Amino acid sequence: MDSINSNKKNIGSSNTIEEIETDNVIEYFNDKEKLSPLEDNRSVDSSSNDNLDDSSNKNSKFHITQPHLRKFIDSFKRPEHTVKDLEDPDAEDSLNDGEGKLKSTIKPRHVLMMSLGTGIGTGLLVGNATALRNAGPAGLVIGYAIMGSCLYCIIQVCGELAVCYAKLPGNFNAYPSFLVDPALGFSVAWVYCLQWLCVTPLELVTASMTIKYWTTKVDPDVFVVIFYVLIIVINIFGAQGYAEAEFFFNSCKVLMITGFFILGIITICGKAGNDGYIGTKYWHEPGAFNGDHAIDRFKGVMAVFVRAAFAMGASEFISITAAEQSNPRKAIPRAAKTMIYRIVFIFLTSITLIGFLVPYDSDQLMGSGSSATKASPYVIAIASHGVRVVPHFINAVILLSVLSVANSAFYSSSRLLHSLAGQGYAPKIFLYLDREGRPAIAMICSALFGVIAFCASSPKEEQVFTWLLAISGLSQLFTWITICFSHLRFRRALFVQGRSTDELGYKSQVGVWGSAYAATMMILALIAQFWVAIAPIGEGKLDAQAFFENYLAMPILIAFYLGYKIWKRDWSLFIRADKVDLVTHRKIFDGDLLRQEEEELKEKLKNGPFWKRVVDFLF
């Protein structure tokens, strides 16, 4: 019980600082607070000391001093409360209930566009080039379909826990610390932080590779410098306009994917380009699967799992964001339905079209070893069939997409470092906040990781890309697995402690079986990736270098896990179900009241217009 109580204090707070940044934005744009009498007097004194006789000059100085002083004080106010709350769990509610919460700042249009565009980044737009080359079009679709089914279960699970623990700092990163095992929570949280630290240079490398479509004469590091400085400058200015910027980026992504659907189908039918009717040509020659032997084709499909995990990564944020809206019980099902559309249309449909338009043996695909490499299969799909101009627009949107993800990764990684320090999982120096409320030391650390991107001019650029992508993909699998484990232990604790699931504001539609299925499939994916990493596709021997390039995240996770066990001298494998704390941080619902609300909603829809029933069914 002592370990459990200590865990309450150290529960993660990865979202706390993100809320802080948003809070500052709201206070600066919609600041209607009045200065305290003391602050007001200071402003008046400072303005009147210079020229007491000139009233107009005094008013002018007061007008100038007041906003600057207010911004200065506001920039300190929230970080001070945050550090206090990180150290004092009893003060947590005062922070979460404070003004400017995330739920009051994100508009419905932002939520909708983020739910559709979050997963459109390097993994989908660029990383699938290697996946297509290794697995073939059929293997690519199979791998994404399996991972997509797991993702749907994870979103349901995340939704159930998010409604129960809507005010819990850290959200899904904190669940394993008090539901499964503190060491597991510590190790997965650190690997998750490393994932986002690696994503920043990964996206910058991708951006330089994307530029190669237009020119190969300029040193790629020149573009890395430009993009690197751009990301740093954006984060120095803080999070003002962040939601609007993401809305713009995600709108471009969704419009590009929509346009690709239309143009891709037209090209396959022979109505665009100069190759005539294509149909299923590339599924027959060179074939639906890559590999001369069944074992090679199977390994190709297995290799897609990690790529798919990275491409779909951060999708769990949708349910967390929905839980922070004004009515999480309505937002969670809508987020789950939106996830179905994302999986089917944005992921499965787009990669299926890629399989029809690009042969897996194309010398332009990344990893082919050819100097003709153009990185993105979406650009190759259109440009290789003689369609002009449009590929340039697609490549431009891809560039915007990867820069958007790089910016988000830089922002997230610095806040995660600050959060880990608040939990006692990282050096206290990362708790430092400057006068604008930015975790300056953590941002410097994130910037240092970003320097890895200057490998863009190296001949080993693609190997570095593969290495960073594998670390990020495996980290995403670790996070998803622990979410499923947390849900299984949560339901087990409810049963053992005699509590009913009627206390839950939202129940996962897939239940514990969905969690078990997703966890099992992802564990198998980790085993498959181990196999592919140590015995690469197309090679008849073991390759130690390939193993560490593709599976480095696993040794790092084990090192963190064992290190925590040795440090705390706690060798228990998990928290017993009867010892799990099901009260702290959890919102307990009234089952009778929930059933009454459901009946009223059904009656309202039944008596309402038909279009409302259609909208309710679809969204």
Side-chain angles (χ1 to χ4, degrees):
M1 182 63 71
D2 291 338
S3 63
I4 297 175
N5 291 332
S6 65
N7 292 339
K8 297 178 189 176
K9 182 176 179 180
N10 292 329
I11 288 174
S13 181
S14 63
N15 283 351
T16 303
I17 306 304
E18 294 176 301
E19 293 182 6
I20 292 165
E21 194 73 11
T22 309
D23 291 343
N24 288 337
V25 174
I26 297 215
E27 292 169 359
Y28 296 161
F29 278 106
N30 300 309
D31 194 353
K32 297 182 180 179
E33 295 180 347
K34 294 183 179 180
L35 291 175
S36 65
L38 177 60
E39 294 163 358
D40 195 27
N41 290 336
R42 288 177 181 173
S43 298
V44 174
D45 291 341
S46 63
S47 61
S48 59
N49 286 338
D50 294 333
N51 192 349
L52 296 173
D53 295 330
D54 191 346
S55 60
S56 62
N57 187 42
K58 179 183 70 174
N59 292 334
S60 175
K61 289 185 177 182
F62 177 80
H63 178 73
I64 293 173
T65 303
Q66 186 184 33
H68 286 282
L69 180 61
R70 179 183 302 162
K71 288 183 179 180
F72 179 80
I73 294 174
D74 286 347
S75 67
F76 277 105
K77 179 174 63 177
R78 183 65 68 179
E80 287 176 354
H81 290 172
T82 302
V83 174
K84 178 182 177 181
D85 289 335
L86 287 172
E87 297 175 350
D88 182 8
D90 295 332
E92 174 196 279
D93 290 338
S94 64
L95 174 65
N96 289 332
D97 294 335
E99 184 181 21
K101 286 176 64 176
L102 184 60
K103 68 179 183 182
S104 64
T105 66
I106 300 180
K107 299 178 181 178
R109 62 187 178 91
H110 295 146
V111 176
L112 175 62
M113 201 54 65
M114 288 179 182
S115 67
L116 291 174
T118 300
I120 305 177
T122 300
L124 179 66
L125 300 178
V126 180
N128 279 334
T130 302
L132 175 62
R133 186 180 65 86
N134 290 335
L140 188 65
V141 172
I142 292 172
Y144 264 86
I146 294 174
M147 194 55 64
S149 66
C150 294
L151 178 59
Y152 179 75
C153 296
I154 293 163
I155 293 301
Q156 289 289 331
V157 168
C158 223
E160 179 179 312
L161 294 175
V163 173
C164 288
Y165 296 97
K167 294 184 178 181
L168 174 67
N171 291 310
F172 54 84
N173 275 323
Y175 299 150
S177 294
F178 66 95
L179 292 173
V180 185
D181 177 42
L184 181 64
F186 170 82
S187 56
V188 172
W190 255 111
V191 173
Y192 190 71
C193 181
L194 287 177
Q195 169 190 345
W196 289 107
L197 286 170
C198 290
V199 166
T200 301
L202 171 64
E203 299 297 330
L204 293 176
V205 170
T206 304
S208 69
M209 295 169 66
T210 304
I211 292 290
K212 288 182 179 180
Y213 178 71
W214 290 305
T215 179
T216 56
K217 296 180 180 179
V218 181
D219 191 322
D221 277 346
V222 172
F223 298 107
V224 170
V225 170
I226 296 173
F227 300 144
Y228 181 81
V229 172
L230 176 64
I231 297 301
I232 299 296
V233 169
I234 290 175
N235 281 272
I236 286 177
F237 278 99
Q240 295 186 11
Y242 183 78
E244 292 295 342
E246 285 304 302
F247 178 82
F248 169 74
F249 285 130
N250 288 323
S251 297
C252 292
K253 297 176 191 178
V254 173
L255 288 174
M256 188 276 285
I257 291 293
T258 303
F260 178 77
F261 288 164
I262 299 172
L263 184 58
I265 293 173
I266 294 174
T267 304
I268 292 171
C269 294
K271 301 301 181 181
N274 51 21
D275 289 344
Y277 178 76
I278 299 174
T280 59
K281 173 182 176 182
Y282 297 133
W283 285 62
H284 296 286
E285 182 60 41
F289 295 92
N290 184 14
D292 297 329
H293 306 288
I295 190 67
D296 292 329
R297 293 191 287 270
F298 180 72
K299 288 172 67 175
V301 175
M302 296 297 101
V304 174
F305 286 156
V306 173
R307 303 281 178 176
F310 178 74
M312 297 178 177
S315 295
E316 65 275 7
F317 282 119
I318 297 171
S319 64
I320 300 300
T321 302
E324 292 171 346
Q325 302 306 305
S326 58
N327 194 335
R329 292 189 58 245
K330 290 184 178 179
I332 290 295
R334 290 177 181 175
K337 290 179 181 178
T338 305
M339 181 55 60
I340 294 177
Y341 301 145
R342 279 163 50 87
I343 293 171
V344 174
F345 294 107
I346 293 181
F347 292 110
L348 291 179
T349 304
S350 67
I351 63 174
T352 300
L353 290 176
I354 290 295
F356 280 102
L357 291 167
V358 183
Y360 69 75
D361 61 352
S362 170
D363 62 354
Q364 297 180 6
L365 287 173
M366 185 175 63
S368 64
S370 170
S371 60
T373 297
K374 295 179 181 177
S376 175
Y378 287 83
V379 175
I380 300 171
I382 302 301
S384 62
H385 296 289
V387 179
R388 299 182 178 180
V389 181
V390 175
H392 295 281
F393 286 103
I394 295 177
N395 207 57
V397 173
I398 291 173
L399 181 60
L400 289 176
S401 300
V402 297
L403 290 178
S404 172
V405 176
N407 183 43
S408 298
F410 185 92
Y411 181 90
S412 300
S413 60
S414 59
R415 272 63 184 179
L416 282 168
L417 278 173
H418 185 278
S419 171
L420 288 170
Q423 301 173 60
Y425 289 167
K428 292 296 182 182
I429 191 174
F430 291 124
L431 280 175
Y432 174 80
L433 294 172
D434 64 13
R435 68 177 191 170
E436 294 295 331
R438 298 172 302 227
I441 303 299
M443 289 176 65
I444 292 174
C445 182
S446 298
L448 291 176
F449 263 82
V451 174
I452 299 175
F454 289 98
C455 71
S457 61
S458 168
K460 302 293 184 180
E461 176 191 29
E462 289 190 12
Q463 292 184 17
V464 175
F465 179 89
T466 301
W467 185 14
L468 293 173
L469 190 62
I471 292 175
S472 301
L474 286 181
S475 301
Q476 192 65 58
L477 287 177
F478 298 152
T479 301
W480 288 350
I481 290 172
T482 54
I483 289 174
C484 293
F485 281 173
S486 298
H487 182 245
L488 291 172
R489 296 301 300 166
F490 173 71
R491 286 293 191 95
R492 176 63 180 171
L494 285 176
F495 175 77
V496 170
Q497 297 183 25
R499 291 182 172 270
S500 172
T501 55
D502 291 340
E503 297 178 353
L504 306 180
Y506 175 73
K507 299 177 186 177
S508 169
Q509 296 178 356
V510 296
V512 295
W513 293 107
S515 299
Y517 162 76
T520 301
M521 294 305 300
M522 286 182 290
I523 290 174
L524 291 176
L526 287 176
I527 296 173
Q529 180 64 14
F530 176 86
W531 180 28
V532 173
I534 201 168
I537 298 173
E539 296 185 16
K541 59 180 181 179
L542 302 182
D543 191 333
Q545 180 179 350
F547 171 78
F548 284 106
E549 286 180 352
N550 292 278
Y551 215 72
L552 184 60
M554 179 60 79
I556 293 175
L557 178 74
I558 295 174
F560 277 127
Y561 180 83
L562 294 178
Y564 184 92
K565 290 292 187 182
I566 295 172
W567 177 33
K568 293 293 186 179
R569 298 181 180 179
D570 177 14
W571 301 104
S572 59
L573 295 178
F574 56 87
I575 302 172
R576 295 181 60 87
D578 59 339
K579 300 296 183 182
V580 172
D581 184 0
L582 294 176
V583 177
T584 306
H585 301 295
R586 188 165 78 95
K587 183 176 181 179
I588 300 175
F589 293 84
D590 187 328
D592 293 334
L593 183 59
L594 293 179
R595 283 188 290 270
Q596 182 180 347
E597 290 179 358
E598 291 293 335
E599 291 298 328
E600 291 177 355
L601 178 60
K602 289 180 180 179
E603 189 66 23
K604 184 178 180 180
L605 289 174
K606 181 179 179 181
N607 298 327
F610 176 75
W611 66 269
K612 283 191 175 182
R613 292 195 293 272
V614 173
V615 171
D616 181 74
F617 175 77
L618 294 176
F619 300 102

